[in-house]
Amino acid sequence: MSRPVRWRPTPRGWVFAVVGVVAAVGAPFLGQRDILRLGVLLLVLVAVAAWSTTRSVQTLDLVSRSKDELVEAGVPSTVRLAVVGRARAGVRLVVEDSAPLALGGTARLTLPRLREGETLDLEYRVRSETRGSYRLGPATVIALDVFGLVRSARVLGDGVTLDVLPRVHPLADLTLGELGGSRGSSASASAAAAPDDVSIREYRVGDDLRRVHWRSTARRGAVMVRSDEHPGRPDVVVLLDTRAGAHAGRGPGSSLEWGISAAASVAAHLQRRRHRVRLLHDGAYDPPRELDETSAVRGLMRSLARLQPGQPDGLARSVTSLGRGESTLLVAVLGQVDEDDVAPLLSARPLGVPALAILLRASAWGTPDESSDAGLERARLVLARAGWRTSVAGPGDLVPDVWAHLTRSGSRGVASVPSSEEVTP
């Protein structure tokens, strides 16, 4: 679709135009032909500048735009543009690609002289320290004549959305056999099962039809496929507490951002270990179970990039949405909670299924509150006594350290793991 050209005189162009009009109008009354010629010349210069800059921006088009679909916070990303057309001599051409200040602001790229039909590849770098969803573009080509009298502009193409993911930290390996609850480990039970029972599961949308196990399909009356997952690698649910009231602090340094980074790190770590991971927040799963593995990973990460603070009942709705009786590993990243907040989690956890919880001392990100900290400690004890692995994190703790404490082997396979603040001498 052809975009209209917008042009306007620059401050210098307005001076030329005004002086030209005054000279052209006043010269006949003064009988000064030289002044009349000067006025006409000034007006002609402005008109020629408007024509040349307008023609220049009309001859250029944006033919492609490439970018990294998902970018981690703090990691530079390259945005590439390809323009085609002709850039005439005597006109300065600049391509501006609008971007928010969080990504470094609008990029300005100067175009050299181009022959008719020549394609030029342009690129610039963006970087954001804060996760989020940002709009890039649309790109605009701007032409300025050699005298600086007229500025013409035309929009090229459409904008795109760049999702900046939270920081993902490398985590220590998790051994499910070491996380069995006081009632037994589902991982151990899976390992004891027959190989066919473990490696065969029901068909999901997106599964390769070549993996259909016809003997099991005939026996069970439902389409069954060979699973790529090894025994002892159950599905994983990462429950993230996004309630605005359960977090403190602002911007990248808030407890919510710490929790989102922890959830992203856990999800990425377990996905690499071939677990099927789903994110649960505000009562809804992201992504749905029906997506294929590649789409599920991308959907989960994009959801984390765009996540906003949730409603006061978000945690309760998430607990209600937990599939009771499902053999899944449950990892909960909780904000400031008390024993009443975590009590529903005890019954939501299926019998013998491993469960881990990171509890954020959110008051440490804001105004210290002893009563809130006491409630958090009681919540930790309630979970630990029910067989959960627990760890408490503050603003000075690193995600890998908290995860290492959380997954460290304890007596009888159950341990309440202290935060780094608690173990520091």
Side-chain angles (χ1 to χ4, degrees), residues 51-61 83-89 91 93 111-120 141 143:
W51 175 82
S52 63
T53 55
T54 300
R55 285 290 305 276
S56 296
V57 297
Q58 286 177 330
T59 60
L60 287 173
D61 283 299
V83 295
V84 63
R86 178 182 177 186
R88 295 178 171 84
V91 176
L93 289 172
L111 295 181
R113 185 173 180 178
L114 297 177
R115 294 187 297 272
E116 185 73 35
E118 185 178 357
T119 300
L120 178 67
V141 59

mmCIF file of all heavy atoms in Angstrom, residues 51-61 83-89 91 93 111-120 141 143:
data_model
loop_
_atom_site.group_PDB
_atom_site.id
_atom_site.type_symbol
_atom_site.label_atom_id
_atom_site.label_comp_id
_atom_site.label_asym_id
_atom_site.label_seq_id
_atom_site.Cartn_x
_atom_site.Cartn_y
_atom_site.Cartn_z
ATOM 1 N N TRP A 51 9.844 19.601 -4.328
ATOM 2 C CA TRP A 51 9.674 18.586 -5.386
ATOM 3 C C TRP A 51 10.737 17.502 -5.297
ATOM 4 O O TRP A 51 10.433 16.311 -5.377
ATOM 5 C CB TRP A 51 9.735 19.276 -6.753
ATOM 6 C CG TRP A 51 9.695 18.308 -7.903
ATOM 7 C CD1 TRP A 51 8.607 17.716 -8.459
ATOM 8 C CD2 TRP A 51 10.829 17.802 -8.621
ATOM 9 N NE1 TRP A 51 8.964 16.867 -9.487
ATOM 10 C CE2 TRP A 51 10.335 16.904 -9.611
ATOM 11 C CE3 TRP A 51 12.200 18.023 -8.537
ATOM 12 C CZ2 TRP A 51 11.177 16.236 -10.498
ATOM 13 C CZ3 TRP A 51 13.039 17.356 -9.424
ATOM 14 C CH2 TRP A 51 12.519 16.468 -10.385
ATOM 15 N N SER A 52 12.004 17.890 -5.125
ATOM 16 C CA SER A 52 13.103 16.914 -5.125
ATOM 17 C C SER A 52 13.034 16.001 -3.894
ATOM 18 O O SER A 52 13.262 14.787 -4.006
ATOM 19 C CB SER A 52 14.453 17.625 -5.175
ATOM 20 O OG SER A 52 14.646 18.419 -4.007
ATOM 21 N N THR A 53 12.733 16.546 -2.733
ATOM 22 C CA THR A 53 12.665 15.698 -1.538
ATOM 23 C C THR A 53 11.453 14.771 -1.596
ATOM 24 O O THR A 53 11.533 13.613 -1.167
ATOM 25 C CB THR A 53 12.606 16.557 -0.268
ATOM 26 O OG1 THR A 53 11.498 17.480 -0.360
ATOM 27 C CG2 THR A 53 13.893 17.343 -0.068
ATOM 28 N N THR A 54 10.355 15.271 -2.129
ATOM 29 C CA THR A 54 9.164 14.422 -2.255
ATOM 30 C C THR A 54 9.417 13.270 -3.214
ATOM 31 O O THR A 54 9.063 12.114 -2.942
ATOM 32 C CB THR A 54 7.967 15.254 -2.739
ATOM 33 O OG1 THR A 54 7.696 16.292 -1.797
ATOM 34 C CG2 THR A 54 6.729 14.382 -2.883
ATOM 35 N N ARG A 55 10.040 13.555 -4.356
ATOM 36 C CA ARG A 55 10.361 12.500 -5.316
ATOM 37 C C ARG A 55 11.316 11.487 -4.703
ATOM 38 O O ARG A 55 11.213 10.280 -4.972
ATOM 39 C CB ARG A 55 10.977 13.113 -6.574
ATOM 40 C CG ARG A 55 9.981 13.801 -7.483
ATOM 41 C CD ARG A 55 9.066 12.793 -8.165
ATOM 42 N NE ARG A 55 9.832 11.786 -8.889
ATOM 43 C CZ ARG A 55 10.295 11.955 -10.134
ATOM 44 N NH1 ARG A 55 10.053 13.082 -10.791
ATOM 45 N NH2 ARG A 55 10.967 10.991 -10.741
ATOM 46 N N SER A 56 12.254 11.947 -3.894
ATOM 47 C CA SER A 56 13.258 11.056 -3.315
ATOM 48 C C SER A 56 12.631 10.042 -2.357
ATOM 49 O O SER A 56 12.968 8.856 -2.404
ATOM 50 C CB SER A 56 14.340 11.866 -2.588
ATOM 51 O OG SER A 56 15.067 12.675 -3.490
ATOM 52 N N VAL A 57 11.733 10.482 -1.502
ATOM 53 C CA VAL A 57 11.141 9.541 -0.554
ATOM 54 C C VAL A 57 10.143 8.612 -1.239
ATOM 55 O O VAL A 57 9.866 7.519 -0.746
ATOM 56 C CB VAL A 57 10.457 10.282 0.624
ATOM 57 C CG1 VAL A 57 11.480 11.072 1.413
ATOM 58 C CG2 VAL A 57 9.330 11.178 0.136
ATOM 59 N N GLN A 58 9.617 9.027 -2.385
ATOM 60 C CA GLN A 58 8.682 8.167 -3.117
ATOM 61 C C GLN A 58 9.377 7.022 -3.839
ATOM 62 O O GLN A 58 8.741 6.017 -4.175
ATOM 63 C CB GLN A 58 7.884 8.997 -4.122
ATOM 64 C CG GLN A 58 6.815 9.875 -3.496
ATOM 65 C CD GLN A 58 6.103 10.718 -4.523
ATOM 66 O OE1 GLN A 58 6.678 11.093 -5.553
ATOM 67 N NE2 GLN A 58 4.839 11.033 -4.256
ATOM 68 N N THR A 59 10.673 7.156 -4.069
ATOM 69 C CA THR A 59 11.389 6.120 -4.821
ATOM 70 C C THR A 59 11.968 5.036 -3.927
ATOM 71 O O THR A 59 12.620 4.113 -4.412
ATOM 72 C CB THR A 59 12.537 6.752 -5.620
ATOM 73 O OG1 THR A 59 13.445 7.408 -4.721
ATOM 74 C CG2 THR A 59 11.997 7.748 -6.630
ATOM 75 N N LEU A 60 11.765 5.119 -2.602
ATOM 76 C CA LEU A 60 12.325 4.141 -1.677
ATOM 77 C C LEU A 60 11.219 3.311 -1.041
ATOM 78 O O LEU A 60 10.133 3.812 -0.741
ATOM 79 C CB LEU A 60 13.129 4.841 -0.580
ATOM 80 C CG LEU A 60 14.480 5.428 -0.995
ATOM 81 C CD1 LEU A 60 15.062 6.229 0.157
ATOM 82 C CD2 LEU A 60 15.453 4.337 -1.410
ATOM 83 N N ASP A 61 11.515 2.030 -0.800
ATOM 84 C CA ASP A 61 10.571 1.140 -0.133
ATOM 85 C C ASP A 61 11.328 0.209 0.800
ATOM 86 O O ASP A 61 12.489 -0.139 0.560
ATOM 87 C CB ASP A 61 9.781 0.306 -1.155
ATOM 88 C CG ASP A 61 8.687 1.112 -1.826
ATOM 89 O OD1 ASP A 61 7.794 1.586 -1.115
ATOM 90 O OD2 ASP A 61 8.755 1.266 -3.069
ATOM 91 N N VAL A 83 16.189 -1.713 2.383
ATOM 92 C CA VAL A 83 15.449 -0.741 1.577
ATOM 93 C C VAL A 83 15.901 -0.860 0.126
ATOM 94 O O VAL A 83 17.061 -1.194 -0.169
ATOM 95 C CB VAL A 83 15.655 0.703 2.084
ATOM 96 C CG1 VAL A 83 15.073 0.861 3.474
ATOM 97 C CG2 VAL A 83 17.123 1.080 2.079
ATOM 98 N N VAL A 84 14.990 -0.588 -0.781
ATOM 99 C CA VAL A 84 15.294 -0.663 -2.206
ATOM 100 C C VAL A 84 14.764 0.599 -2.874
ATOM 101 O O VAL A 84 13.747 1.152 -2.468
ATOM 102 C CB VAL A 84 14.657 -1.922 -2.843
ATOM 103 C CG1 VAL A 84 13.145 -1.884 -2.755
ATOM 104 C CG2 VAL A 84 15.112 -2.100 -4.296
ATOM 105 N N GLY A 85 15.468 1.045 -3.888
ATOM 106 C CA GLY A 85 15.013 2.233 -4.606
ATOM 107 C C GLY A 85 16.177 3.024 -5.145
ATOM 108 O O GLY A 85 17.259 2.492 -5.414
ATOM 109 N N ARG A 86 15.965 4.324 -5.258
ATOM 110 C CA ARG A 86 16.994 5.196 -5.804
ATOM 111 C C ARG A 86 17.166 6.400 -4.893
ATOM 112 O O ARG A 86 16.190 7.003 -4.462
ATOM 113 C CB ARG A 86 16.613 5.665 -7.209
ATOM 114 C CG ARG A 86 17.625 6.631 -7.828
ATOM 115 C CD ARG A 86 17.164 7.104 -9.187
ATOM 116 N NE ARG A 86 18.095 8.068 -9.752
ATOM 117 C CZ ARG A 86 17.903 8.743 -10.881
ATOM 118 N NH1 ARG A 86 16.794 8.508 -11.579
ATOM 119 N NH2 ARG A 86 18.781 9.593 -11.328
ATOM 120 N N ALA A 87 18.423 6.688 -4.557
ATOM 121 C CA ALA A 87 18.732 7.872 -3.752
ATOM 122 C C ALA A 87 19.524 8.837 -4.615
ATOM 123 O O ALA A 87 20.637 8.535 -5.051
ATOM 124 C CB ALA A 87 19.524 7.482 -2.510
ATOM 125 N N ARG A 88 18.931 10.005 -4.900
ATOM 126 C CA ARG A 88 19.549 10.965 -5.813
ATOM 127 C C ARG A 88 20.598 11.813 -5.087
ATOM 128 O O ARG A 88 20.552 11.992 -3.873
ATOM 129 C CB ARG A 88 18.488 11.893 -6.408
ATOM 130 C CG ARG A 88 17.481 11.191 -7.302
ATOM 131 C CD ARG A 88 16.440 12.179 -7.796
ATOM 132 N NE ARG A 88 15.578 11.601 -8.816
ATOM 133 C CZ ARG A 88 14.503 10.867 -8.526
ATOM 134 N NH1 ARG A 88 14.188 10.624 -7.267
ATOM 135 N NH2 ARG A 88 13.766 10.376 -9.497
ATOM 136 N N ALA A 89 21.517 12.317 -5.860
ATOM 137 C CA ALA A 89 22.495 13.260 -5.325
ATOM 138 C C ALA A 89 21.800 14.581 -5.019
ATOM 139 O O ALA A 89 20.813 14.950 -5.656
ATOM 140 C CB ALA A 89 23.625 13.475 -6.338
ATOM 141 N N VAL A 91 20.289 15.302 -2.248
ATOM 142 C CA VAL A 91 19.257 15.107 -1.224
ATOM 143 C C VAL A 91 19.822 14.189 -0.144
ATOM 144 O O VAL A 91 20.362 13.115 -0.450
ATOM 145 C CB VAL A 91 17.976 14.490 -1.828
ATOM 146 C CG1 VAL A 91 16.960 14.204 -0.723
ATOM 147 C CG2 VAL A 91 17.379 15.433 -2.867
ATOM 148 N N LEU A 93 19.249 11.599 2.683
ATOM 149 C CA LEU A 93 18.201 10.658 3.081
ATOM 150 C C LEU A 93 18.581 9.972 4.386
ATOM 151 O O LEU A 93 19.707 9.513 4.568
ATOM 152 C CB LEU A 93 17.989 9.600 1.992
ATOM 153 C CG LEU A 93 17.329 10.085 0.700
ATOM 154 C CD1 LEU A 93 17.372 8.994 -0.353
ATOM 155 C CD2 LEU A 93 15.895 10.506 0.956
ATOM 156 N N LEU A 111 21.409 7.125 4.591
ATOM 157 C CA LEU A 111 21.496 6.344 3.353
ATOM 158 C C LEU A 111 22.524 6.955 2.408
ATOM 159 O O LEU A 111 22.530 8.175 2.186
ATOM 160 C CB LEU A 111 20.146 6.297 2.649
ATOM 161 C CG LEU A 111 18.996 5.581 3.368
ATOM 162 C CD1 LEU A 111 17.750 5.628 2.511
ATOM 163 C CD2 LEU A 111 19.371 4.148 3.664
ATOM 164 N N PRO A 112 23.384 6.119 1.811
ATOM 165 C CA PRO A 112 24.280 6.628 0.770
ATOM 166 C C PRO A 112 23.513 6.757 -0.545
ATOM 167 O O PRO A 112 22.330 6.429 -0.625
ATOM 168 C CB PRO A 112 25.351 5.531 0.691
ATOM 169 C CG PRO A 112 24.624 4.273 1.062
ATOM 170 C CD PRO A 112 23.593 4.687 2.090
ATOM 171 N N ARG A 113 24.198 7.196 -1.566
ATOM 172 C CA ARG A 113 23.565 7.298 -2.876
ATOM 173 C C ARG A 113 23.294 5.899 -3.417
ATOM 174 O O ARG A 113 24.152 5.014 -3.375
ATOM 175 C CB ARG A 113 24.462 8.066 -3.837
ATOM 176 C CG ARG A 113 23.838 8.318 -5.194
ATOM 177 C CD ARG A 113 24.718 9.218 -6.034
ATOM 178 N NE ARG A 113 24.134 9.475 -7.345
ATOM 179 C CZ ARG A 113 24.684 10.267 -8.262
ATOM 180 N NH1 ARG A 113 25.830 10.874 -8.004
ATOM 181 N NH2 ARG A 113 24.094 10.450 -9.427
ATOM 182 N N LEU A 114 22.085 5.678 -3.937
ATOM 183 C CA LEU A 114 21.677 4.371 -4.456
ATOM 184 C C LEU A 114 21.276 4.496 -5.919
ATOM 185 O O LEU A 114 20.635 5.472 -6.310
ATOM 186 C CB LEU A 114 20.488 3.811 -3.658
ATOM 187 C CG LEU A 114 20.699 3.507 -2.171
ATOM 188 C CD1 LEU A 114 19.386 3.038 -1.543
ATOM 189 C CD2 LEU A 114 21.774 2.462 -1.989
ATOM 190 N N ARG A 115 21.658 3.472 -6.690
ATOM 191 C CA ARG A 115 21.203 3.411 -8.070
ATOM 192 C C ARG A 115 19.790 2.854 -8.116
ATOM 193 O O ARG A 115 19.313 2.224 -7.168
ATOM 194 C CB ARG A 115 22.146 2.534 -8.900
ATOM 195 C CG ARG A 115 23.551 3.102 -9.051
ATOM 196 C CD ARG A 115 24.357 2.262 -10.024
ATOM 197 N NE ARG A 115 24.527 0.903 -9.533
ATOM 198 C CZ ARG A 115 25.505 0.511 -8.743
ATOM 199 N NH1 ARG A 115 26.418 1.378 -8.324
ATOM 200 N NH2 ARG A 115 25.588 -0.750 -8.361
ATOM 201 N N GLU A 116 19.109 3.038 -9.189
ATOM 202 C CA GLU A 116 17.738 2.562 -9.371
ATOM 203 C C GLU A 116 17.665 1.052 -9.156
ATOM 204 O O GLU A 116 18.400 0.284 -9.779
ATOM 205 C CB GLU A 116 17.258 2.912 -10.777
ATOM 206 C CG GLU A 116 15.798 2.570 -11.013
ATOM 207 C CD GLU A 116 14.874 3.520 -10.284
ATOM 208 O OE1 GLU A 116 15.212 4.717 -10.183
ATOM 209 O OE2 GLU A 116 13.815 3.070 -9.807
ATOM 210 N N GLY A 117 16.791 0.611 -8.255
ATOM 211 C CA GLY A 117 16.602 -0.803 -7.990
ATOM 212 C C GLY A 117 17.613 -1.421 -7.059
ATOM 213 O O GLY A 117 17.547 -2.618 -6.771
ATOM 214 N N GLU A 118 18.574 -0.645 -6.558
ATOM 215 C CA GLU A 118 19.602 -1.191 -5.669
ATOM 216 C C GLU A 118 19.022 -1.395 -4.265
ATOM 217 O O GLU A 118 18.240 -0.584 -3.771
ATOM 218 C CB GLU A 118 20.801 -0.243 -5.620
ATOM 219 C CG GLU A 118 21.968 -0.784 -4.804
ATOM 220 C CD GLU A 118 23.163 0.168 -4.820
ATOM 221 O OE1 GLU A 118 23.077 1.206 -5.520
ATOM 222 O OE2 GLU A 118 24.160 -0.127 -4.126
ATOM 223 N N THR A 119 19.439 -2.487 -3.634
ATOM 224 C CA THR A 119 18.977 -2.806 -2.285
ATOM 225 C C THR A 119 20.092 -2.546 -1.286
ATOM 226 O O THR A 119 21.247 -2.920 -1.517
ATOM 227 C CB THR A 119 18.531 -4.282 -2.172
ATOM 228 O OG1 THR A 119 17.462 -4.512 -3.093
ATOM 229 C CG2 THR A 119 18.052 -4.606 -0.768
ATOM 230 N N LEU A 120 19.737 -1.920 -0.187
ATOM 231 C CA LEU A 120 20.716 -1.601 0.852
ATOM 232 C C LEU A 120 20.257 -2.212 2.167
ATOM 233 O O LEU A 120 19.107 -2.037 2.588
ATOM 234 C CB LEU A 120 20.858 -0.084 1.002
ATOM 235 C CG LEU A 120 21.823 0.390 2.095
ATOM 236 C CD1 LEU A 120 23.265 0.007 1.742
ATOM 237 C CD2 LEU A 120 21.701 1.901 2.304
ATOM 238 N N VAL A 141 11.295 7.182 6.127
ATOM 239 C CA VAL A 141 12.396 7.735 5.350
ATOM 240 C C VAL A 141 12.193 9.241 5.284
ATOM 241 O O VAL A 141 11.092 9.740 5.008
ATOM 242 C CB VAL A 141 12.466 7.119 3.938
ATOM 243 C CG1 VAL A 141 11.188 7.341 3.153
ATOM 244 C CG2 VAL A 141 13.670 7.689 3.177
ATOM 245 N N ALA A 143 13.789 12.970 3.827
ATOM 246 C CA ALA A 143 14.665 13.606 2.831
ATOM 247 C C ALA A 143 14.802 15.088 3.157
ATOM 248 O O ALA A 143 13.812 15.760 3.476
ATOM 249 C CB ALA A 143 14.103 13.425 1.423
#
